Coordinates of all heavy atoms in Angstrom, one line a residue:
M1 N 0.2 -6.3 4.1 CA -0.5 -5.9 5.1 C -2.0 -6.1 4.8 O -2.8 -6.6 5.6 CB -0.3 -4.4 5.5 CG 1.2 -4.4 6.0 SD 1.7 -3.3 7.3 CE 0.6 -3.4 8.5
I2 N -2.5 -5.5 3.7 CA -3.9 -5.7 3.2 C -3.7 -6.3 1.8 O -3.1 -5.8 0.9 CB -4.5 -4.3 3.1 CG1 -4.7 -3.7 4.5 CG2 -5.9 -4.6 2.6 CD1 -5.4 -2.3 4.5
T3 N -4.4 -7.5 1.7 CA -4.6 -8.0 0.3 C -6.1 -7.9 -0.1 O -6.9 -8.4 0.7 CB -4.1 -9.6 0.4 OG1 -2.7 -9.6 0.8 CG2 -4.3 -10.2 -0.9
V4 N -6.3 -7.4 -1.2 CA -7.6 -7.2 -1.8 C -8.0 -8.3 -2.8 O -7.2 -8.4 -3.7 CB -7.8 -5.8 -2.4 CG1 -9.2 -5.7 -3.0 CG2 -7.4 -4.7 -1.4
N5 N -8.9 -9.1 -2.5 CA -9.2 -10.2 -3.4 C -10.6 -10.1 -4.1 O -11.0 -10.7 -4.9 CB -9.3 -11.6 -2.6 CG -7.9 -12.0 -2.2 OD1 -6.9 -11.9 -3.0 ND2 -7.9 -12.5 -1.0
G6 N -11.4 -9.1 -3.6 CA -12.8 -8.8 -4.0 C -12.7 -7.5 -5.0 O -11.9 -6.7 -5.0
N7 N -13.8 -7.5 -5.7 CA -14.2 -6.3 -6.7 C -14.9 -5.2 -5.9 O -15.5 -5.6 -5.0 CB -14.8 -6.7 -7.9 CG -14.0 -7.7 -8.7 OD1 -12.7 -7.7 -8.8 ND2 -14.8 -8.7 -9.4
G8 N -14.7 -3.9 -6.4 CA -15.6 -2.9 -5.8 C -15.1 -2.5 -4.4 O -15.9 -2.1 -3.6
V9 N -13.8 -2.5 -4.1 CA -13.4 -2.2 -2.8 C -12.8 -0.9 -2.6 O -12.1 -0.2 -3.6 CB -12.1 -3.2 -2.4 CG1 -11.5 -3.0 -1.0 CG2 -12.8 -4.7 -2.3
T10 N -13.1 -0.2 -1.5 CA -12.6 1.1 -1.2 C -11.7 1.1 0.1 O -12.2 0.6 1.1 CB -13.6 2.2 -1.1 OG1 -14.3 2.3 -2.3 CG2 -13.0 3.6 -0.7
I11 N -10.5 1.6 0.1 CA -9.6 1.7 1.3 C -9.3 3.3 1.4 O -8.7 3.8 0.6 CB -8.4 0.9 1.2 CG1 -8.6 -0.7 0.8 CG2 -7.5 1.1 2.3 CD1 -7.5 -1.5 0.5
D12 N -9.9 3.8 2.5 CA -9.8 5.2 2.7 C -9.4 5.6 4.1 O -10.1 5.2 5.1 CB -11.2 5.8 2.4 CG -11.1 7.3 2.2 OD1 -10.1 7.9 2.7 OD2 -12.1 7.8 1.7
G13 N -8.4 6.3 4.3 CA -8.0 7.0 5.5 C -7.2 6.2 6.5 O -7.2 6.4 7.6
L14 N -6.4 5.2 5.9 CA -5.6 4.4 6.8 C -4.3 4.7 7.0 O -3.7 5.5 6.0 CB -5.6 2.9 6.4 CG -7.0 2.1 6.5 CD1 -6.8 0.7 5.9 CD2 -7.7 2.1 7.7
H15 N -3.6 4.4 8.1 CA -2.1 4.8 8.3 C -1.5 3.5 8.4 O -1.6 2.8 9.5 CB -1.8 5.8 9.3 CG -0.3 5.9 9.4 ND1 0.1 7.1 10.2 CD2 0.8 5.4 8.9 CE1 1.4 7.1 10.1 NE2 1.9 6.1 9.3
L16 N -0.8 2.9 7.3 CA -0.2 1.6 7.5 C 1.4 1.8 7.7 O 2.0 2.5 6.9 CB -0.3 0.8 6.2 CG -1.8 0.6 5.9 CD1 -2.0 -0.2 4.6 CD2 -2.5 -0.2 7.0
N17 N 1.9 1.0 8.5 CA 3.4 1.1 8.8 C 4.1 -0.1 8.3 O 3.8 -1.2 9.0 CB 3.7 1.4 10.2 CG 5.2 1.8 10.6 OD1 6.1 1.2 9.9 ND2 5.4 2.8 11.4
G18 N 5.0 -0.2 7.5 CA 5.7 -1.3 7.0 C 6.9 -1.7 7.7 O 7.7 -2.7 7.3
L19 N 7.5 -0.9 8.6 CA 8.7 -1.2 9.2 C 8.6 -2.4 10.0 O 7.7 -2.7 10.8 CB 9.3 0.0 10.1 CG 9.5 1.1 9.3 CD1 10.0 2.3 10.3 CD2 10.6 0.9 8.3
V20 N 9.6 -3.4 9.9 CA 9.6 -4.6 10.8 C 10.6 -4.5 11.8 O 11.6 -3.9 11.7 CB 9.9 -5.8 9.8 CG1 10.0 -7.1 10.5 CG2 8.9 -6.0 8.7
N21 N 10.3 -5.0 13.0 CA 11.2 -5.0 14.2 C 11.5 -3.6 14.5 O 12.7 -3.2 14.8 CB 12.5 -5.7 13.8 CG 13.3 -6.0 15.0 OD1 12.9 -6.0 16.2 ND2 14.6 -6.3 14.9
G22 N 10.6 -2.7 14.5 CA 10.9 -1.3 14.8 C 11.7 -0.4 13.8 O 12.2 0.5 14.2
G23 N 11.8 -1.2 12.7 CA 12.7 -0.4 11.6 C 14.2 -0.7 11.8 O 14.9 -0.3 11.0
L24 N 14.5 -1.6 12.6 CA 15.9 -2.0 12.9 C 16.5 -2.9 11.9 O 17.6 -3.0 11.7 CB 16.1 -2.4 14.2 CG 15.8 -1.6 15.4 CD1 15.9 -2.3 16.9 CD2 16.7 -0.4 15.3
S25 N 15.6 -3.8 11.2 CA 16.1 -4.7 10.4 C 15.6 -4.6 8.9 O 16.5 -4.7 8.1 CB 15.7 -6.2 10.9 OG 14.3 -6.3 11.0
T26 N 14.4 -4.4 8.7 CA 13.9 -4.3 7.2 C 12.6 -3.7 7.2 O 12.1 -3.2 8.1 CB 13.7 -5.8 6.7 OG1 13.5 -5.9 5.4 CG2 12.7 -6.7 7.4
A27 N 12.0 -3.7 6.0 CA 10.8 -3.1 5.8 C 9.9 -3.9 4.8 O 10.5 -4.6 3.9 CB 10.9 -1.5 5.1
S28 N 8.6 -4.1 4.9 CA 7.8 -4.7 4.1 C 7.8 -4.0 2.8 O 8.1 -2.9 2.7 CB 6.4 -4.8 4.6 OG 6.4 -5.5 5.9
V29 N 7.4 -4.8 1.7 CA 7.4 -4.1 0.4 C 6.2 -3.3 0.0 O 6.3 -2.2 -0.4 CB 7.6 -5.3 -0.7 CG1 7.5 -4.7 -2.1 CG2 8.9 -6.1 -0.6
N30 N 5.0 -3.8 0.2 CA 3.7 -3.1 0.0 C 2.8 -3.1 1.0 O 2.7 -4.1 1.8 CB 3.2 -3.6 -1.3 CG 4.0 -3.6 -2.5 OD1 4.2 -2.5 -2.9 ND2 4.3 -4.7 -3.2
G31 N 2.0 -2.2 1.2 CA 1.0 -2.1 2.2 C -0.3 -2.5 1.7 O -1.1 -3.2 2.6
I32 N -0.6 -2.3 0.4 CA -1.9 -2.8 -0.1 C -1.5 -3.5 -1.5 O -0.8 -3.0 -2.3 CB -2.8 -1.6 -0.5 CG1 -3.2 -0.8 0.8 CG2 -4.0 -2.0 -1.2 CD1 -3.8 0.5 0.5
V33 N -2.0 -4.8 -1.6 CA -1.8 -5.6 -2.8 C -3.1 -5.9 -3.2 O -4.0 -6.5 -2.6 CB -0.9 -6.8 -2.5 CG1 -0.9 -7.8 -3.7 CG2 0.3 -6.5 -1.9
A34 N -3.4 -5.6 -4.5 CA -4.8 -5.9 -5.2 C -4.3 -6.4 -6.6 O -4.2 -5.5 -7.5 CB -5.6 -4.7 -5.2
N35 N -4.3 -7.7 -6.8 CA -3.8 -8.1 -8.1 C -5.1 -8.8 -8.8 O -5.6 -9.7 -8.2 CB -2.7 -9.3 -8.0 CG -1.4 -8.6 -7.5 OD1 -1.1 -7.4 -7.8 ND2 -0.7 -9.3 -6.8
N36 N -5.3 -8.4 -10.0 CA -6.4 -8.9 -10.9 C -7.8 -8.7 -10.2 O -8.6 -9.7 -10.2 CB -6.1 -10.5 -11.1 CG -6.9 -10.9 -12.4 OD1 -7.2 -10.1 -13.2 ND2 -7.1 -12.3 -12.3
V37 N -8.0 -7.6 -9.8 CA -9.3 -7.2 -9.3 C -9.8 -6.1 -10.1 O -9.1 -5.4 -10.8 CB -9.3 -6.8 -7.7 CG1 -8.7 -8.0 -6.9 CG2 -8.5 -5.6 -7.5
D38 N -11.2 -5.8 -10.0 CA -11.8 -4.7 -10.7 C -12.4 -3.8 -9.8 O -13.0 -4.2 -8.8 CB -12.9 -5.3 -11.6 CG -13.6 -4.3 -12.5 OD1 -12.8 -3.4 -13.1 OD2 -14.8 -4.2 -12.6
S39 N -12.2 -2.5 -10.0 CA -12.8 -1.4 -9.2 C -12.2 -1.3 -7.7 O -12.9 -1.7 -6.8 CB -14.3 -1.5 -9.1 OG -14.8 -1.3 -10.5
L40 N -11.0 -0.9 -7.7 CA -10.4 -0.5 -6.4 C -10.1 1.0 -6.2 O -9.7 1.6 -7.2 CB -8.9 -1.2 -6.2 CG -8.1 -0.7 -5.2 CD1 -8.7 -1.4 -3.8 CD2 -6.7 -1.2 -5.3
T41 N -10.5 1.5 -5.1 CA -10.1 2.9 -4.8 C -9.5 2.9 -3.6 O -9.9 2.4 -2.5 CB -11.5 3.8 -4.6 OG1 -12.3 3.7 -5.9 CG2 -11.1 5.2 -4.3
A42 N -8.2 3.5 -3.6 CA -7.4 3.8 -2.4 C -7.1 5.2 -2.3 O -6.5 5.9 -3.2 CB -6.0 3.0 -2.5
A43 N -7.6 5.8 -1.2 CA -7.6 7.3 -1.2 C -7.3 7.7 0.2 O -7.8 7.1 1.2 CB -8.9 7.8 -1.6
H44 N -6.5 8.7 0.4 CA -6.2 9.4 1.7 C -5.5 8.5 2.7 O -5.9 8.6 4.0 CB -7.5 10.0 2.3 CG -8.2 10.9 1.3 ND1 -9.5 10.4 0.7 CD2 -8.1 12.0 0.7 CE1 -9.9 11.3 -0.1 NE2 -9.0 12.3 -0.2
N45 N -4.7 7.5 2.1 CA -4.1 6.6 3.1 C -2.5 7.1 3.1 O -2.0 7.7 2.3 CB -4.0 5.2 2.4 CG -5.4 4.7 2.3 OD1 -6.2 4.5 3.3 ND2 -5.9 4.5 1.1
T46 N -1.9 6.8 4.3 CA -0.6 7.0 4.5 C 0.1 5.6 4.6 O -0.2 4.8 5.5 CB -0.3 7.8 5.8 OG1 -0.9 9.0 5.7 CG2 1.2 8.0 6.0
L47 N 1.1 5.4 3.8 CA 1.8 4.2 3.7 C 3.3 4.5 4.1 O 4.0 5.2 3.4 CB 1.7 3.5 2.4 CG 0.3 3.0 2.1 CD1 -0.4 3.8 1.2 CD2 0.3 1.5 1.7
D48 N 3.6 4.2 5.3 CA 4.9 4.6 5.9 C 5.9 3.5 6.0 O 5.7 2.4 6.7 CB 4.5 5.2 7.2 CG 5.7 6.0 8.0 OD1 6.8 6.0 7.4 OD2 5.5 6.4 9.0
G49 N 7.1 3.5 5.4 CA 8.2 2.6 5.6 C 8.2 1.4 4.8 O 8.8 0.4 5.2
F50 N 7.4 1.4 3.7 CA 7.4 0.2 2.7 C 8.5 0.4 1.7 O 8.7 1.5 1.2 CB 6.1 0.0 2.2 CG 5.0 -0.3 3.1 CD1 4.2 0.7 3.6 CD2 4.7 -1.6 3.3 CE1 3.2 0.3 4.6 CE2 3.8 -1.9 4.2 CZ 3.0 -1.0 4.8
S51 N 9.2 -0.7 1.5 CA 10.5 -0.5 0.6 C 10.1 -0.6 -0.8 O 10.9 -0.2 -1.7 CB 11.5 -1.8 0.8 OG 10.9 -3.0 0.6
G52 N 8.9 -1.1 -1.3 CA 8.4 -1.0 -2.6 C 7.4 0.2 -2.9 O 7.5 1.2 -2.2
P53 N 6.6 0.1 -3.8 CA 5.8 1.3 -4.2 C 4.7 1.5 -3.2 O 4.0 2.5 -3.2 CB 5.2 0.9 -5.6 CG 5.3 -0.6 -5.6 CD 6.5 -1.0 -4.8
G54 N 4.5 0.6 -2.2 CA 3.4 0.8 -1.2 C 2.2 0.3 -1.6 O 1.5 -0.4 -0.8
I55 N 1.8 0.4 -2.9 CA 0.4 -0.1 -3.4 C 0.8 -0.9 -4.7 O 1.3 -0.3 -5.7 CB -0.6 1.1 -3.6 CG1 -0.8 1.8 -2.4 CG2 -1.9 0.5 -4.2 CD1 -1.7 3.0 -2.5
D56 N 0.3 -2.1 -4.7 CA 0.6 -3.0 -5.9 C -0.8 -3.3 -6.6 O -1.5 -4.1 -5.8 CB 1.5 -4.2 -5.6 CG 1.6 -5.2 -6.7 OD1 1.3 -4.8 -7.8 OD2 2.2 -6.3 -6.4
T57 N -1.0 -2.9 -7.8 CA -2.4 -3.2 -8.5 C -2.1 -3.9 -9.7 O -2.9 -3.7 -10.6 CB -3.1 -1.9 -8.5 OG1 -2.4 -1.1 -9.4 CG2 -3.5 -1.2 -7.3
A58 N -1.2 -4.8 -9.8 CA -0.9 -5.5 -11.0 C -2.1 -6.2 -11.6 O -2.9 -6.7 -10.9 CB 0.3 -6.5 -10.8
V59 N -2.3 -6.0 -12.9 CA -3.4 -6.6 -13.6 C -4.8 -6.2 -13.2 O -5.7 -6.9 -13.5 CB -3.2 -8.3 -13.8 CG1 -4.1 -8.9 -14.8 CG2 -1.7 -8.5 -14.0
S60 N -4.9 -5.3 -12.4 CA -6.3 -4.9 -11.8 C -6.8 -3.7 -12.9 O -6.0 -3.0 -13.5 CB -6.1 -4.3 -10.5 OG -5.7 -5.3 -9.6
T61 N -8.0 -3.7 -12.9 CA -8.7 -2.6 -13.8 C -9.5 -1.6 -12.9 O -10.0 -2.1 -11.8 CB -9.6 -3.3 -14.9 OG1 -10.6 -4.2 -14.1 CG2 -8.8 -4.3 -15.8
N62 N -9.8 -0.5 -13.5 CA -10.5 0.6 -12.8 C -10.2 0.9 -11.5 O -10.8 0.9 -10.4 CB -12.1 0.1 -12.6 CG -12.7 0.0 -14.2 OD1 -12.5 0.8 -15.0 ND2 -13.3 -1.1 -14.4
V63 N -8.7 1.2 -11.4 CA -8.1 1.5 -10.1 C -7.9 3.0 -9.9 O -7.6 3.7 -11.0 CB -6.7 0.8 -10.0 CG1 -5.9 1.4 -8.8 CG2 -6.7 -0.6 -10.1
V64 N -8.4 3.5 -8.9 CA -8.3 4.9 -8.5 C -7.4 5.1 -7.3 O -7.7 4.5 -6.2 CB -9.7 5.6 -8.3 CG1 -9.5 6.9 -7.8 CG2 -10.6 5.6 -9.4
L65 N -6.2 5.8 -7.5 CA -5.4 6.1 -6.4 C -5.4 7.7 -6.2 O -5.0 8.3 -7.1 CB -3.9 5.6 -6.7 CG -3.7 4.0 -7.0 CD1 -2.3 3.8 -7.4 CD2 -4.3 3.3 -5.8
N66 N -5.9 8.0 -5.1 CA -6.0 9.4 -4.9 C -5.5 10.0 -3.6 O -6.0 9.4 -2.5 CB -7.5 9.8 -5.0 CG -7.9 11.2 -4.9 OD1 -7.0 12.0 -5.2 ND2 -9.0 11.7 -4.4
A67 N -4.6 10.9 -3.6 CA -4.1 11.6 -2.3 C -3.6 10.6 -1.3 O -3.7 10.8 0.0 CB -5.2 12.5 -1.7
N68 N -2.8 9.5 -1.8 CA -2.1 8.7 -0.9 C -0.8 9.3 -0.5 O -0.1 9.8 -1.4 CB -2.0 7.3 -1.4 CG -3.4 6.7 -1.5 OD1 -4.1 6.4 -0.5 ND2 -3.8 6.5 -2.7
N69 N -0.4 9.1 0.7 CA 1.1 9.8 1.0 C 1.9 8.4 1.2 O 1.7 7.7 2.2 CB 0.9 10.6 2.4 CG 2.2 11.2 2.7 OD1 3.0 11.3 1.9 ND2 2.1 11.6 4.0
I70 N 3.0 8.4 0.4 CA 3.8 7.2 0.5 C 5.2 7.8 1.1 O 5.9 8.7 0.6 CB 4.2 6.7 -0.9 CG1 3.0 6.3 -1.6 CG2 5.1 5.5 -0.7 CD1 2.1 5.3 -1.1
I71 N 5.6 7.2 2.2 CA 6.7 7.7 3.0 C 7.8 6.5 2.9 O 7.5 5.5 3.5 CB 6.5 8.1 4.4 CG1 5.5 9.2 4.5 CG2 7.7 8.4 5.2 CD1 4.8 9.5 5.8
L72 N 8.9 6.8 2.2 CA 9.9 5.7 2.1 C 10.6 5.4 3.5 O 10.8 6.4 4.2 CB 10.8 6.0 1.1 CG 10.3 6.1 -0.4 CD1 11.4 6.6 -1.4 CD2 9.7 4.7 -0.8
P73 N 11.1 4.2 3.6 CA 12.0 4.0 4.8 C 13.3 4.6 4.7 O 13.7 5.0 3.6 CB 12.0 2.4 4.9 CG 11.9 2.0 3.5 CD 11.0 3.0 2.8
P74 N 14.1 4.6 5.8 CA 15.5 5.2 5.6 C 16.4 4.3 4.7 O 15.9 3.1 4.6 CB 16.1 4.8 7.1 CG 14.9 4.8 8.1 CD 13.8 4.3 7.2
P75 N 17.1 4.9 3.8 CA 18.0 4.1 2.8 C 18.6 2.8 3.3 O 18.6 1.9 2.5 CB 19.0 5.1 2.4 CG 18.4 6.5 2.8 CD 17.6 6.2 4.1
A76 N 19.0 2.7 4.5 CA 19.7 1.5 5.0 C 18.7 0.2 4.9 O 19.2 -0.9 4.9 CB 20.1 1.7 6.3
L77 N 17.4 0.5 4.9 CA 16.4 -0.6 4.9 C 15.9 -0.9 3.6 O 15.2 -1.9 3.6 CB 15.3 -0.2 5.9 CG 15.7 0.1 7.4 CD1 14.4 0.5 8.2 CD2 16.3 -1.1 8.0
I78 N 16.2 -0.2 2.6 CA 15.7 -0.6 1.3 C 16.3 -1.5 0.5 O 17.6 -1.7 0.7 CB 15.6 0.7 0.4 CG1 14.6 1.7 1.0 CG2 15.1 0.4 -1.1 CD1 14.5 2.9 0.2

């Protein structure tokens, strides 16, 4: 849903919904993906219905994850 390619990014206060087709078929894996970036802050976000961790920050540095609410999809969709 959101791919971060730049450094020094803040994502604050969003509600992202990862259910596809109204939740009848599947769920997206992550709502925020930031691979190999420096200085990412993700705070006060709600990530609803993603089948993975919701936020993927592989190989990124200076990552701050604060007060995000991760809501998993129903078990049949994982």
Side-chain angles (χ1 to χ4, degrees):
M1 302 215 45
I2 296 176
T3 300
V4 178
N5 292 317
N7 299 324
V9 173
T10 297
I11 301 170
D12 190 345
L14 296 181
H15 184 162
L16 304 175
N17 188 322
L19 296 178
V20 177
N21 192 21
L24 299 176
S25 60
T26 188
S28 298
V29 177
N30 294 302
I32 300 171
V33 176
N35 293 324
N36 201 25
V37 300
D38 184 48
S39 297
L40 167 72
T41 299
H44 311 107
N45 299 293
T46 298
L47 293 103
D48 187 1
F50 292 93
S51 63
I55 302 173
D56 176 7
T57 60
V59 195
S60 295
T61 56
N62 300 311
V63 174
V64 176
L65 304 177
N66 182 30
N68 294 294
N69 186 17
I70 309 295
I71 303 168
L72 296 175
L77 299 178
I78 295 178

